[in-house]
């Protein structure tokens, strides 16, 4: 969760979101990122991919992030955020990737943490992978990812 929060902070530190469209696009991007992260974790643990769903959420995330980053306020806060200290003018794909990577890392850790350590330490690795995949599927369903347009 910390990585996701840091990635979001890189994008929107103290953003007032004067633009309703910016806020809406950011919510859409993060919902798609979450759904895509669940699918990523399922794939990592089962090597089974839902191609159409993955494509839908990836396209939606990329489109939403392009809208966020094309908004002067969205881009302004990125350029003034964490990566401004590097002196490099990163492109929008970099920022979208950083945010998505943080989302996947955050969700992956949350899923792993959902199994108590005393229980997970006694399970064989293939069983853990199965449980992680089941948890990711449950979260995907609970987030109504299939209903997102």
């Amino acid at each position: 969760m910390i990585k996701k929060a840091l990635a979001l902070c890189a994008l929107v530190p103290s953003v007032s979101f004067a633009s309703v469209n910016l806020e809406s696009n950011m919510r859409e991007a993060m919902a798609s990122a979450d759904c895509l992260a669940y699918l990523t974790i399922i794939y990592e643990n089962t090597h089974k991919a839902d191609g159409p769903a993955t494509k839908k959420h990836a396209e939606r995330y990329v489109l939403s992030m392009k809208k966020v980053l094309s908004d002067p306020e969205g881009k302004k806060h990125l350029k003034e955020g964490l990566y401004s200290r590097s002196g490099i003018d990163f492109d929008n794909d970099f920022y979208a990737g950083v945010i998505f990577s943080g989302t996947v890392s955050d969700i992956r850790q949350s899923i792993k943490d959902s199994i108590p350590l005393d229980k997970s330490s006694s399970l064989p690795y293939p069983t853990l992978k199965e449980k992680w995949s089941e948890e990711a599927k449950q979260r995907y369903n609970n987030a109504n990812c299939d209903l997102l347009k």
Side-chain angles (χ1 to χ4, degrees), residues 19 61 68-69 81 93 95 105 113 141:
S19 166
Y61 175 72
V68 167
L69 296 171
D93 291 339
Y95 291 116
S105 294
D113 291 345
N141 292 331

Side-chain angles (χ1 to χ4, degrees), residues 27 41 44 62 67 73 82 92 104 113 123 126 134 148:
R27 276 196 313 268
I41 293 161
E44 288 173 346
V62 169
K67 290 177 184 176
E73 285 299 307
L82 173 66
N92 292 351
V104 172
D113 291 345
L123 294 174
E134 289 169 4
L148 297 177

Side-chain angles (χ1 to χ4, degrees), residues 85-105:
R85 292 176 171 47
S86 70
I88 298 171
D89 186 19
F90 293 105
D91 67 8
N92 292 351
D93 291 339
F94 171 81
Y95 291 116
V98 165
I99 293 168
F100 179 66
S101 176
T103 301
V104 172
S105 294

Side-chain angles (χ1 to χ4, degrees), residues 16-58:
S16 64
F17 280 128
S19 166
V20 173
N21 287 335
L22 177 61
E23 185 177 358
S24 174
N25 289 330
M26 190 63 199
R27 276 196 313 268
E28 185 176 319
M30 295 319 300
S32 292
D34 286 352
C35 293
L36 193 54
Y38 299 137
L39 292 172
T40 299
I41 293 161
I42 293 166
Y43 177 76
E44 288 173 346
N45 292 296
T46 65
H47 298 288
K48 295 177 185 171
D50 183 341
T54 301
K55 181 180 180 184
K56 176 179 88 170
H57 293 299

Side-chain angles (χ1 to χ4, degrees), residues 12 15 18 25 30-31 37-38 42 49 59-60 74 89 91-92 95 106 117-119 133 146-147 149:
V12 286
V15 173
N25 289 330
M30 295 319 300
Y38 299 137
I42 293 166
E59 287 175 344
R60 189 168 181 256
D89 186 19
D91 67 8
N92 292 351
Y95 291 116
D106 179 37
L117 184 58
D118 60 332
K119 184 176 179 182
S133 178
D146 285 335
L147 300 178
K149 295 178 184 174

